[in-house]
Amino acid sequence: MAATDGKLRAGVVGAGVFGGFHASKYAAHPRAELVGVYDPDLERARALAGKHGARAYDNLARFIDACDAVTVASPAVHHFEAAAAALANKRHVLVEKPIASSVEEARELIALAASHGCVLQVGHQERFVFAAMGLFAVPDRPHRIVASRMGPPSERCLDVSVTLDLMVHDLDLAIALSGGAVTAVEGETDEGRFGHPDIARARLTFDNGCVAELSASRVHHERDRKMRIEYESGVLEIDFVAKTFENSTPYDLNPDFADDPSARDSLGANVNAFIASVLDGAPVAVPGIAGLRALDAARAVDGARTYGS
């Protein structure tokens, strides 16, 4: 379903920072029209909608009725409510990571999308950076992945753990790269602020023998995001902040990936892929099952022991 002029009528749930990013992508897209912004705080919704000539809503049902597809960019604890309501009304959904707060909620979203024939895509943007590098075309699987994702204190995303906030990116990438199923998860977290961990470490074992060792912190002194991928034939070391890599493998990866539009604007690439899936039937770039697998692993880390326990 699309507007009479052939454009996708898109809406954004959440008028915060990421909601603003998504709204601007839809507003600038030649095949989409930003028709609405929903936020329980109507003034926030008006401030964002007004920038793009869209309508502001504080009634979720009326907002959904005006849209063909929605991005859910609200706080993570509210992802399920908005995404489920949209899917139940046969609207396509791009939900920011994490897909939901619980594994049960994620499974319900996947079931709703399947039963109503809707696209359900998850906002794991880093996949587009890997695609620009050519990593997903590598014919072999790594035997070890080591990643760290650190950042300074922020007031954002404190409604969830650092595992769901930051580490979930590397959990998704490690699962996608390994090509195997997770068979064991070991982890530890700190107590964190407001009852949500700010530091986490994890070790994932896959059924094909691959091991992933991940660490994340949102109380680090600086932004530092790196990944080391070890193959039998060599090692790839990636600096996500600098957008560079060192490669001793024989695989022909793109050294200029930082200039690729998908890596330079991975959120925009995610929105573009979502629109192509809805309008053209293109394969879903990051399907709901990928979001579920990353969430399941993150919840396993959060359920592991706390430092000093």
Side-chain angles (χ1 to χ4, degrees), residues 141 174-183 205-210 293:
R141 298 296 185 182
I175 292 168
L177 283 174
S178 73
V182 178
T183 58
T205 303
F206 296 88
D207 61 0
N208 58 9
C210 180
R293 288 169 180 155

Side-chain angles (χ1 to χ4, degrees), residues 235-273:
V235 176
L236 177 67
E237 296 190 80
I238 306 165
D239 186 326
F240 288 101
V241 176
K243 289 191 176 179
T244 59
F245 65 73
E246 295 182 9
N247 181 19
S248 66
T249 76
Y251 311 126
D252 186 21
L253 301 177
N254 178 16
D256 300 317
F257 75 97
D259 296 326
D260 188 290
S262 293
R264 193 167 59 245
D265 179 12
S266 55
L267 186 146
N270 204 12
V271 172
N272 292 343

Side-chain angles (χ1 to χ4, degrees), residues 3-306:
T4 54
D5 61 359
K7 289 187 176 183
L8 185 73
R9 297 180 302 169
V12 173
V13 175
V17 173
F18 267 77
F21 292 156
H22 282 273
S24 66
K25 300 305 178 187
Y26 285 127
H29 201 286
R31 303 183 70 195
E33 177 187 1
L34 180 69
V35 297
V37 174
Y38 166 80
D39 197 290
D41 185 332
L42 186 57
E43 291 308 310
R44 277 166 54 95
R46 283 174 174 159
L48 178 55
K51 293 179 181 179
H52 303 291
R55 181 175 175 181
Y57 294 85
D58 61 359
N59 182 293
L60 184 60
R62 290 175 184 168
F63 162 79
I64 290 172
D65 189 55
C67 302
D68 303 320
V70 304
T71 282
V72 178
S74 55
V77 294
H78 301 301
H79 282 185
F80 173 76
E81 176 188 4
L87 291 168
N89 283 277
K90 301 182 180 180
R91 268 51 176 183
H92 306 283
V93 172
L94 168 56
V95 58
E96 268 298 343
K97 59 81 189 169
I99 183 173
S101 293
S102 72
V103 169
E104 293 73 22
E105 288 177 346
R107 287 180 177 141
E108 186 170 341
L109 292 181
I110 293 169
L112 279 169
S115 65
H116 293 297
C118 294
V119 171
L120 173 61
Q121 185 168 314
V122 188
H124 285 292
Q125 269 84 244
E126 297 280 22
R127 284 196 178 207
F128 294 89
V129 178
F130 271 23
M133 292 174 60
L135 252 179
F136 290 132
V138 168
D140 294 330
R141 298 296 185 182
H143 61 82
R144 184 168 180 254
I145 301 167
V146 180
S148 61
R149 190 169 291 259
M150 312 292 186
S154 167
E155 297 306 310
R156 291 185 55 253
C157 298
L158 295 181
D159 58 318
V160 294
S161 67
V162 68
T163 315
L164 289 177
D165 177 15
L166 295 182
M167 185 183 281
V168 71
H169 286 293
D170 293 324
L171 288 166
D172 173 63
L173 294 174
I175 292 168
L177 283 174
S178 73
V182 178
T183 58
V185 177
E186 303 168 64
E188 56 182 2
T189 62
D190 72 339
E191 291 185 357
R193 295 165 288 174
F194 311 109
H196 298 296
D198 288 321
I199 302 171
R201 299 191 186 106
R203 177 184 170 90
L204 278 66
T205 303
F206 296 88
D207 61 0
N208 58 9
C210 180
V211 172
E213 299 168 4
L214 313 177
S215 59
S217 171
R218 56 185 179 191
V219 288
H220 198 59
H221 63 279
E222 63 180 354
R223 193 164 175 259
D224 183 23
R225 299 178 178 181
K226 295 183 173 69
M227 180 176 283
R228 177 183 172 93
I229 307 170
E230 300 178 6
Y231 298 91
E232 291 298 330
S233 59
V235 176
L236 177 67
E237 296 190 80
I238 306 165
D239 186 326
F240 288 101
V241 176
K243 289 191 176 179
T244 59
F245 65 73
E246 295 182 9
N247 181 19
S248 66
T249 76
Y251 311 126
D252 186 21
L253 301 177
N254 178 16
D256 300 317
F257 75 97
D259 296 326
D260 188 290
S262 293
R264 193 167 59 245
D265 179 12
S266 55
L267 186 146
N270 204 12
V271 172
N272 292 343
F274 176 61
I275 292 172
S277 293
V278 174
L279 293 181
D280 305 327
V284 180
V286 189
I289 187 63
L292 169 61
R293 288 169 180 155
L295 174 65
D296 195 15
R299 280 307 190 194
V301 175
D302 283 342
R305 70 183 181 88
T306 302

